[in-house]
Amino acid sequence: MLREALKVILDVQELDIQMIRLMRLKWEREGELARIRSLRDDLHHQVIAKESEVIDLKKQIRLAEVDVSELNTKIQKLESQQNAVKKVEEFNALTHEIAAAEREKAAKEQRLSDLYDRQAAEEELLKNLKETFEATKTNSELLEQEIISSIVAINQEGSQLKEQRDQMQGDADPEILVIYEKLIKNKKDRVVVPIENRCCSGCHILVTAQHENVVRKGDKMVFCEHCSRIHYWQDHLVEVSEDKTTRRRRRSTAKA
Ligand SMILES: [Zn+2]
């Protein structure tokens, strides 16, 4: 009978709803895991980028230091040349040349001093970044472990539910089951619902009196015109459960 068939589907539905909730929870937790990992990877990339910046700065500093020392040598050479010359014009020319080299050296030294400042600042940043990265790594490892074990628990619960459902499915009317499964796959929500106060309790839209009567009769499947859910009459299921209880009671009395 339809009532009994729907009762089985309703039991399957409760398991499916639990499963849907569980899957949502799992997606959420997997999302958290992905966020934690990407945050950590992001920090790691920042550390690597900063490290190569510092290395690059050190190279620039070394080059600038070489430039300054070459200019020093040049100036010394020019000065000793100047000491050796006899002619005023040559002496003056060398004075000019020395002054130019001194200016160049001053500019290089200024640049070098800026580079030293930048190096100090970047090294400080790198140190902070590394500390943040290490702290995040430690924290995220704990959090990750926690999330992973909760996912394991979700999976276990899920396979228990699936086992229960597989067993229950055997009692279901195959034709109704196919329709039901198609519906719940689309809606990810209850799709076999009662009519309450003349409304579909799935989409909450008013049904016609005629529609309600057909459902009330309970001898054929009725779908909501608005949301396609399968409708049932609440009292029918109470009757089905009572029937089962009475039968069980009768059986146990008979045994005794
Ligand atoms: Zn509806």
Side-chain angles (χ1 to χ4, degrees), residues 200 203 224 227:
C200 163
C203 66
C224 176
C227 70

Side-chain angles (χ1 to χ4, degrees), residues 33-63:
L33 205 57
R35 273 195 297 281
I36 290 169
R37 284 173 177 165
S38 93
L39 184 74
R40 195 185 48 207
D41 290 350
D42 205 41
L43 271 171
H44 192 204
H45 288 141
Q46 284 184 43
V47 168
I48 291 169
K50 193 54 81 188
E51 272 171 345
S52 75
E53 236 176 277
V54 169
I55 289 171
D56 192 50
L57 265 175
K58 282 181 180 164
K59 271 186 208 154
Q60 289 183 45
I61 286 170
R62 230 172 292 136
L63 288 176

Side-chain angles (χ1 to χ4, degrees), residues 67-119:
D67 283 351
V68 170
S69 99
E70 277 173 2
L71 281 166
N72 272 331
T73 321
K74 187 180 174 187
I75 290 162
Q76 276 169 15
K77 224 189 208 167
L78 289 170
E79 277 168 353
S80 61
Q81 263 179 282
Q82 197 177 37
N83 287 335
V85 294
K86 303 272 173 337
K87 287 182 183 161
V88 176
E89 301 84 54
E90 279 177 37
F91 187 89
N92 286 344
L94 282 166
T95 306
H96 277 298
E97 225 179 307
I98 290 166
E102 290 282 5
R103 276 198 301 275
E104 204 185 334
K105 187 183 135 188
K108 289 274 180 200
E109 275 171 345
Q110 182 56 52
R111 183 171 139 68
L112 195 55
S113 148
D114 291 345
L115 284 171
Y116 286 142
D117 288 347
R118 260 184 70 198
Q119 185 191 14

Side-chain angles (χ1 to χ4, degrees), residues 96-188:
H96 277 298
E97 225 179 307
I98 290 166
E102 290 282 5
R103 276 198 301 275
E104 204 185 334
K105 187 183 135 188
K108 289 274 180 200
E109 275 171 345
Q110 182 56 52
R111 183 171 139 68
L112 195 55
S113 148
D114 291 345
L115 284 171
Y116 286 142
D117 288 347
R118 260 184 70 198
Q119 185 191 14
E122 295 298 321
E123 276 177 344
E124 181 65 23
L125 277 175
L126 178 61
K127 191 178 141 248
N128 292 341
L129 261 176
K130 274 183 172 166
E131 279 169 10
T132 312
F133 173 59
E134 287 305 324
T136 308
K137 216 167 87 176
T138 317
N139 288 336
S140 69
E141 266 160 19
L142 283 173
L143 210 57
E144 261 185 87
Q145 279 314 311
E146 198 187 292
I147 295 175
I148 288 168
S149 52
S150 87
I151 290 176
V152 169
I154 289 173
N155 285 340
Q156 277 170 354
E157 205 184 326
S159 55
Q160 277 168 12
L161 277 176
K162 190 174 178 307
E163 213 174 291
Q164 259 183 301
R165 192 204 188 273
D166 287 347
Q167 277 175 9
M168 208 177 268
Q169 190 178 303
D171 297 335
D173 178 297
E175 269 174 56
I176 302 180
L177 189 67
V178 168
I179 298 169
Y180 156 79
E181 280 179 339
K182 213 185 228 172
L183 284 171
I184 198 160
K185 209 176 153 197
N186 280 329
K187 295 221 189 291
K188 308 260 185 282

